[in-house]
Structures are given as C-alpha cells and as structure tokens.
C-alpha cells in the first residue's frame, strides 16, 4: 500500500471510528490558544490558515513523516500538534526538530542530539519546563540555543505552557474519545487482513487474499501439518532447503517454528502477547511457547512488529 502523502490521505486509510476520534481530539487541541510568541513554532493538524506560514500543512505532515511514522509501535495514531522548527542534518537534509503530540505518543527529536518517545497518558503536563537553554519534556529536551535569534523574551516559557495545555487537553479528550484503557481500541473492529494491509510491514506478511502468497501459505500448511479444520489467516514466514520457519496465525491458534526445531502451538485464548526476550532472541507468546524472530524484524521495528503480531492474534480470535 502506497504511503500517504498528506494528512487527508492518512486519515482516509483509517477506520471510521478513528476518524471520528480524530475530529474530537482535533477540536480539543484547536481550542488551546497559541501564545503569540509561539506563532512561528506551533502547527496544528487540519490547520488551513497559519499566522506565519502558507505551507503550514506541509510543515505539519513532514513532522509526522519524520517523527511519527518511522517510530510508531502501532498503526493508526492520530497526529495532533507539532511544536518545532527545521534544522539541517549532517547530510544537509531538512529535518523536523521538535515535539509531535499524537493521541497515543509524544515524539521528541532534537536532530543530531537526542530523540525520545513517551506514552501520551504517561506525561505529567506540570513537568514540562524550560531549563537553561533547553525545553524539557519527560526527561528529554530540545536545545533552544540553535534558534536563539528566533526567540522572543517569553517564547520558551510560553512554549512549555502551551505544550502542557495541549497534552492536558489530549489526555482529557483521549480518555473519553479513544479510551486509554485498551491498547487495542483502535484495532478492535479490524480484520486480520485489514490490519496487515494497513501496516507498514504489509509486504512482509503473507495473506490468503494475495495470489502471490497462496503457494507459500499452502506449503506452510503442508509442512507444518496444520489441522484441516483451522483457517490459516496470516504468516510471517520464509522457506529454505531446511524447511519453512516463522510465525503463522489461524482462526484458532498461533503457530511458530524455527529451522530444525519442533512446531509450537498456542490457542488464541491463551496468547499472552509477543514479548521480546533478548537473551534467546525470541518472542514469548505464552509460558511454554517462544516464537523465533524473522529477517523482516529488525532492531528498529521490533516493538512495532510485536504489537502488530499481538493485534493480529486478537483479530484472529474475533474471526
């Protein structure tokens, strides 16, 4: 699936309930007044007019592309407010430098210095502050010396107050609109196929509706001797001369097999998650089931892949 090129395309790819949640959250954040001293730094989702820039929508989406999309551990986050500015990295590329607030995560990137991400509900708004020449949030910071010429006397303290108010608004509206209590709230209405097709690892997974995947899925079913009364819904698998290895999910269970190792099975109702265990380099599915990793899973996307696999197992249990 082609990557979205703007916010409108991104939102159109999400389920209706997520778009409805976005509307409520956008309204809440838009109601937070932007201090005049920060007009050059604050960009809102859906903002069609900006007091300083004609290309505000492009600036906002670039921040989403650079801060959120490569780092999100789940699909379908709702980007809401970006506070920041552009800097030039060592390769002379223009980078979004600042803080992006979504309904689930606060992303911070001080290009070339530090980056961090925090669950939005975990942030203490009162702890956002200015310390020396830095804007601090959640133990990470953005250096302000690099934009000293752009700052007014109150810009930094006003920025801290504005971000505090934004996060307070998102936490209050998010608890009502999206429900922080369920990590899978956004995925609860999607099928296994929909989750795969909407994910940024779509091409790595195999699903029955794609003709090019059918042969590989049939081979996995035969080699692993999957029960005839189970429907294979998705796999993250590869084949070698030594056999087929990876992870597969049917409508009844999660299966996994490493090369030259036995097949493991956990019923969907017993799946505890896909928790990475660095020592064994496996994902803990249940107490007696450790699933192997796969070449498509890297250090950069491991958390994302683990959450996606868990969401797929939950979706399989609904089908």
């Amino acid at each position: 699936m082609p990557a979205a090129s703007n916010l409108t395309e991104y939102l159109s790819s999400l389920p209706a309930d997520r778009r409805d949640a976005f509307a409520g959250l956008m309204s809440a954040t838009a109601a937070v007044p932007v201090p005049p001293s920060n007009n050059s730094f604050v960009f809102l989702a859906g903002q069609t007019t900006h007091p300083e820039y004609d290309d505000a929508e492009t600036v906002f989406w670039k921040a989403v592309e650079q801060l959120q999309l490569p780092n999100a551990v789940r699909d379908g986050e709702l980007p809401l407010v970006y506070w920041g500015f552009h800097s030039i990295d060592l390769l002379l590329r223009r980078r979004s430098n600042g803080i992006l607030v979504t309904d689930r995560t606060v992303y911070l990137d001080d290009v070339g210095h530090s980056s961090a991400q925090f669950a939005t509900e975990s942030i203490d708004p009162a702890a956002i502050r200015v310390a020396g020449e830095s804007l601090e949030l959640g133990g990470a910071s953005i250096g302000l010396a690099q934009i000293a010429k752009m700052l007014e006397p109150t810009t930094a303290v006003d920025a801290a107050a504005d971000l505090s108010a934004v996060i307070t608004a998102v936490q209050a509206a998010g608890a009502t609109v999206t429900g922080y209590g369920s990590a899978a709230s956004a995925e609860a209405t999607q099928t296994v196929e929909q989750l795969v097709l909407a994910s940024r690892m779509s091409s790595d997974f195999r699903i029955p509706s794609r003709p090019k995947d059918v042969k590989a899925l049939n081979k996995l079913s035969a080699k692993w001797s999957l029960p005839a009364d189970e429907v294979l819904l998705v796999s993250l698998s590869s084949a070698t001369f030594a056999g087929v290895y990876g992870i597969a999910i049917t409508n009844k269970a999660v299966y996994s097999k490493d090369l030259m190792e036995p097949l493991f099975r956990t019923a969907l109702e017993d799946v505890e998650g896909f928790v990475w265990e660095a020592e064994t380099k496996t994902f803990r599915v249940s107490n007696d089931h450790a699933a192997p990793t796969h070449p498509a899973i890297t250090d950069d996307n491991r958390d994302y892949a683990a959450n996606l696999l868990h969401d797929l197992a939950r979706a399989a249990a609904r089908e």
Side-chain angles (χ1 to χ4, degrees):
M1 187 179 73
S5 60
N6 54 54
L7 181 64
T8 300
E9 286 185 8
Y10 175 75
L11 293 173
S12 69
S13 72
L14 302 181
D17 60 337
R18 293 302 283 158
R19 296 195 296 271
D20 291 342
F22 174 78
L25 288 161
M26 184 179 70
S27 177
T29 54
V32 176
V34 177
S37 65
N38 275 253
N39 279 338
S40 296
F41 303 100
V42 178
F43 301 85
L44 308 178
Q47 187 175 30
T48 56
T49 60
H50 191 278
E52 299 289 340
Y53 303 110
D54 293 334
D55 62 345
E57 291 176 279
T58 300
V59 172
F60 179 83
W61 184 248
K62 181 181 284 291
V64 174
E65 288 183 314
Q66 295 183 337
L67 275 69
Q68 174 191 332
L69 297 184
N71 302 305
V73 296
R74 269 197 167 84
D75 295 301
E77 285 193 28
L78 304 174
L80 300 166
V81 178
Y82 169 58
W83 183 96
F85 48 91
H86 285 162
S87 61
I88 305 298
D89 67 15
L90 295 176
L91 297 178
L92 302 181
R93 298 172 300 191
R94 186 175 295 275
R95 293 282 307 177
S96 299
N97 200 120
I99 297 167
L100 177 70
V101 180
T102 80
D103 66 320
R104 298 174 182 164
T105 311
V106 176
Y107 299 91
L108 180 149
D109 192 7
D110 192 1
V111 177
H113 298 283
S114 65
S115 62
Q117 58 189 75
F118 310 94
T120 302
E121 70 268 29
S122 72
I123 295 290
D124 178 3
I128 302 172
R129 65 192 185 102
V130 177
E133 295 184 319
S134 297
L135 177 60
E136 293 190 349
L137 183 152
S141 64
I142 297 289
L144 301 177
Q146 57 193 310
I147 53 168
K149 293 182 179 179
M150 299 174 62
L151 302 180
E152 298 177 20
T154 64
T155 300
V157 292
D158 288 347
D162 181 60
L163 285 166
S164 177
V166 165
I167 290 174
T168 297
V170 174
Q171 288 175 342
T176 301
V177 175
T178 63
Y180 285 129
S182 172
S185 59
E187 293 79 15
T189 61
Q190 292 181 277
T191 65
V192 167
E193 179 178 299
Q194 288 171 332
L195 286 169
V196 170
L197 294 176
S199 77
R200 66 175 190 256
M201 291 183 70
S202 175
S203 61
D204 299 309
F205 283 83
R206 302 183 190 278
I207 51 177
S209 63
R210 287 197 289 226
K212 68 182 183 66
D213 293 342
V214 172
K215 182 177 179 180
L217 290 172
N218 288 340
K219 182 176 182 179
L220 182 150
S221 294
K223 292 291 186 180
W224 291 8
S225 300
L226 297 186
D229 63 342
E230 294 188 22
V231 180
L232 179 55
L233 300 174
V234 63
S235 80
L236 180 63
S237 58
S238 296
T240 72
F241 289 116
V244 180
Y245 69 96
I247 300 168
I249 302 174
T250 74
N251 62 328
K252 293 186 179 181
V254 170
Y255 292 86
S256 75
K257 189 180 188 306
D258 207 350
L259 291 173
M260 312 304 290
E261 296 291 338
L263 180 70
F264 288 89
R265 180 187 190 275
T266 296
L268 293 176
E269 61 267 25
D270 296 325
V271 172
E272 297 173 4
F274 285 79
V275 180
W276 176 248
E277 295 184 346
E279 185 175 347
T280 59
K281 292 182 169 52
T282 59
F283 293 97
R284 178 61 57 184
V285 179
S286 62
N287 186 54
D288 56 355
H289 184 170
T293 188
H294 184 272
I297 299 175
T298 66
D299 290 343
D300 293 332
N301 71 7
R302 186 176 294 118
D303 290 343
Y304 174 88
N307 278 297
L308 178 58
L309 284 164
H310 198 192
D311 289 338
L312 292 172
R314 284 189 289 231
R318 298 193 298 267
E319 295 188 20

